Amino acid sequence: MKNFDVTVVGGGTGGCAVAYTAAKLGLKVLVLEKGIHLGGAMTSGLVVPVMKPSDNAINDEFFNVLVTELETLGGQITYQGNRGWFNPELTKIALDNLLASVGVKVIFASEVKDVILDGKRICGVKTEEGEYFSKVVVDASGDGIAAKLSGCEFLDKKDEVQPNSLRFILSGVDAKAFGDWVLELDKDRNVTTVEEVGGKTYFSTSYTWDGGDKQALAPLFKDAVECGILTKEDTNYFQIFSVAGAESSVAFNCPRMLDCNGEASAEELSGSIMNARQSIFRLTNFCKKYFKGFENAYISNIADVVGVRVSYRVKGKYIYTMEDIISGKKFENPVAVSNYPIDVHSREKNKSTLKKVQDYEVPLESLISADIENLYVVGRCVSADFMAQGAIRVQATCMAMGEGLARYLFQVLR
Ligand SMILES: Cc1cc2nc3c(=O)[nH]c(=O)nc-3n(C[C@H](O)[C@H](O)[C@H](O)COP(=O)(O)OP(=O)(O)OC[C@H]3O[C@@H](n4cnc5c(N)ncnc54)[C@H](O)[C@@H]3O)c2cc1C
């Protein structure tokens, strides 16, 4: 039987939230995922932690059940008041459990390659194995794949890009030794936090964008470049976080892939990916030599997808803007409330934007395709201008969008 109420293209961050919520409300839901696990950027991309949701967040039931499921599996901690510190491998299992618990049909290894249209309506999608029909389709592919296949309009790109990153994890780290050492080094706690959780040491630190010398790790990077251990490009961006449920593992939010962006072709990406893996190898040797506690560290994971911050943005019934964020504009049908900053990475060191803001609302209309009546979009490719996308692309917001959309679809379809 290949008829569903809702087909979700992509079982990633936003897609899982739509699917879980819609099925829990009683809709018949299909997820087609091209990979072999759920979670998208959270799992394949090794993107941890979830940035802390606003205290006034709405549509956060999915986030909360995921926290609880991961806690049960031993893959979640609350760090510095943020419950979104997840273990990427256990997140795969937690999402399997959650979607199965509400009866979502998940089909892995299923890349959506075509759509079935009837004028301005989408009737279904096609993979190599067949056709799947549904009342509505939700494009949760991150890249607007279903929208592209449906001939939808995309928002103007101008010259706006954020660099991709290839994330990785080092294991075998003595977190306590590193924590004690780095706190001593970063005496003013400018960019470092360390916290004991359940008798284990977790930490976060960086050497990154706001001016080299304020960063306690800066002299080490400088020395490593002079000694040829790192290249100057390796020092463009550096940020590390402990991994929940794996206290000897550390997730790296780097290296940035400065030579390509989210819209690069496979051919353009390939050289860049190989360069990034070389950078990962150099960064590993750097950490082992310069960081106390990293002496026995080894590469345990390299992401199996490129970390894309922004690629295509689908034109929706409403184009959400940076001005909407800054003014805290109110909407009739908000799907998410967040206060995550406008966070736009630049290719150039010290040129990124991190603009703090008050709570803002993301409107439902930015998730509704302008061109195809029953096509919806969630996640990082929704209808928002480039700067606004820099704020709403984070995981908790993508999940809230998914949950909010599912609640709306239930009203429409029941
Ligand atoms: C380097 C980097 C660091 C980040 N750091 C943070 C952070 O610290 N905290 C935070 O909260 N956010 C962070 N983000 C942002 C956040 O992780 C992402 O923007 C968000 O997870 C995107 O969710 P999504 O649902 O749009 O896409 P994804 O989670 O990427 O899901 C898309 C899914 O669609 C599938 N798919 C794609 N095409 C098809 C197809 N044709 N058919 C079937 N399936 C398909 C993919 O396999 C994938 O599973 C970061 C992002 C990057 C790139």
Side-chain angles (χ1 to χ4, degrees):
M1 167 85 93
K2 291 185 175 176
N3 282 300
F4 296 85
D5 293 321
V6 182
T7 294
V8 181
V9 178
T13 319
C16 284
V18 183
Y20 173 86
T21 311
K24 192 164 179 229
L25 289 168
L27 298 177
K28 194 171 167 199
V29 182
L30 168 70
V31 172
L32 294 169
E33 167 52 49
K34 75 174 175 185
I36 62 158
H37 52 75
L38 298 168
M42 295 193 289
T43 52
S44 312
L46 302 177
V47 177
V48 289
V50 176
M51 288 293 141
K52 188 174 185 290
S54 163
D55 291 340
N56 302 313
I58 59 170
N59 291 319
D60 57 356
E61 187 183 321
F62 177 75
F63 173 74
N64 288 329
V65 293
L66 184 54
V67 167
T68 306
E69 185 66 21
L70 275 162
E71 194 182 7
T72 310
L73 298 175
Q76 179 273 345
I77 60 160
T78 300
Y79 181 85
Q80 305 278 305
N82 179 6
R83 295 183 301 136
W85 279 54
F86 298 163
N87 177 298
E89 297 305 324
L90 291 170
T91 299
K92 295 175 184 171
I93 297 171
L95 291 170
D96 283 347
N97 294 350
L98 290 179
L99 268 57
S101 74
V102 291
V104 175
K105 174 99 177 155
V106 177
I107 311 185
F108 289 127
S110 294
E111 181 170 359
V112 169
K113 293 197 166 160
D114 206 351
V115 292
I116 304 156
L117 294 176
D118 177 12
K120 292 275 174 204
R121 290 187 67 78
I122 183 166
C123 312
V125 298
K126 296 182 189 176
T127 69
E128 265 173 17
E129 289 197 350
E131 299 179 338
Y132 300 89
F133 294 91
S134 60
K135 293 174 185 160
V136 301
V137 171
V138 179
D139 187 336
S141 65
D143 293 318
I145 299 293
K148 207 175 298 172
L149 294 168
S150 304
C152 292
E153 194 179 335
F154 284 79
L155 298 181
D156 206 4
K157 300 192 286 282
K158 304 193 191 92
D159 288 330
E160 302 157 320
V161 287
Q162 290 202 52
N164 299 333
S165 295
L166 188 66
R167 296 189 56 147
F168 69 106
I169 293 181
L170 292 186
S171 296
V173 174
D174 182 337
K176 171 95 175 69
F178 179 76
D180 291 346
W181 174 81
V182 77
L183 281 182
E184 190 57 28
L185 193 73
D186 190 3
K187 284 206 172 59
D188 60 3
R189 309 291 189 264
N190 184 30
V191 289
T192 302
T193 56
V194 178
E195 190 178 323
E196 295 283 319
V197 182
K200 292 169 182 157
T201 303
Y202 291 89
F203 59 81
S204 155
T205 192
S206 65
Y207 161 60
T208 168
W209 49 22
D210 25 344
D213 290 339
K214 276 202 294 177
Q215 308 279 330
L217 299 173
L220 309 182
F221 280 87
K222 191 162 175 282
D223 189 68
V225 172
E226 279 165 14
C227 297
I229 293 167
L230 293 178
T231 67
K232 203 156 186 312
E233 289 70 37
D234 295 329
T235 71
N236 180 282
Y237 190 81
F238 179 90
Q239 188 178 29
I240 60 177
F241 306 95
S242 299
V243 179
E247 64 282 359
S248 62
S249 295
V250 179
F252 286 64
N253 188 15
C254 50
R256 274 184 183 157
M257 300 162 68
L258 299 172
D259 43 3
C260 75
N261 63 47
E263 295 165 21
S265 67
E267 196 176 338
E268 286 163 343
L269 265 179
S270 300
S272 180
I273 292 168
M274 285 193 253
N275 288 341
R277 280 197 279 266
Q278 294 297 320
S279 178
I280 287 171
F281 193 70
R282 288 190 296 272
L283 285 163
T284 303
N285 287 334
F286 162 74
C287 293
K288 284 164 72 84
K289 180 170 161 60
Y290 287 85
F291 290 178
K292 187 131 197 231
F294 277 67
E295 297 81 358
N296 299 315
Y298 58 91
I299 299 170
S300 54
N301 315 63
I302 297 179
D304 44 47
V305 297
V306 169
V308 175
R309 292 186 169 85
V310 57
S311 60
Y312 303 93
R313 288 163 288 131
V314 181
K315 185 172 178 193
K317 294 216 154 144
Y318 183 82
I319 302 171
Y320 192 53
T321 66
M322 180 170 79
E323 288 70 36
D324 293 339
I325 292 187
I326 291 169
S327 66
K329 182 170 173 178
K330 299 283 176 211
F331 292 91
E332 202 179 328
N333 303 303
V335 284
V337 171
S338 173
N339 57 10
Y340 186 72
I342 298 168
D343 177 7
V344 176
H345 290 233
S346 165
R347 282 159 196 272
E348 291 175 59
K349 197 164 161 56
N350 302 332
K351 291 271 175 68
S352 295
T353 305
L354 189 68
K355 186 171 175 50
K356 290 201 175 149
V357 287
Q358 302 298 314
D359 277 341
Y360 51 88
E361 294 182 347
V362 181
L364 171 69
E365 290 70 18
S366 290
L367 280 53
I368 305 178
S369 155
D371 299 309
I372 301 287
E373 286 167 24
N374 56 338
L375 176 66
Y376 302 87
V377 183
V378 295
R380 67 169 198 251
C381 57
V382 298
S383 180
D385 72 18
F386 177 73
M387 296 302 279
Q389 193 273 355
I392 65 177
R393 66 191 175 86
V394 288
Q395 292 164 4
T397 314
C398 291
M399 289 180 208
M401 285 180 204
E403 181 172 327
L405 176 63
R407 294 189 188 287
Y408 167 74
L409 293 177
F410 177 66
Q411 299 299 326
V412 172
L413 297 178
R414 71 178 168 170

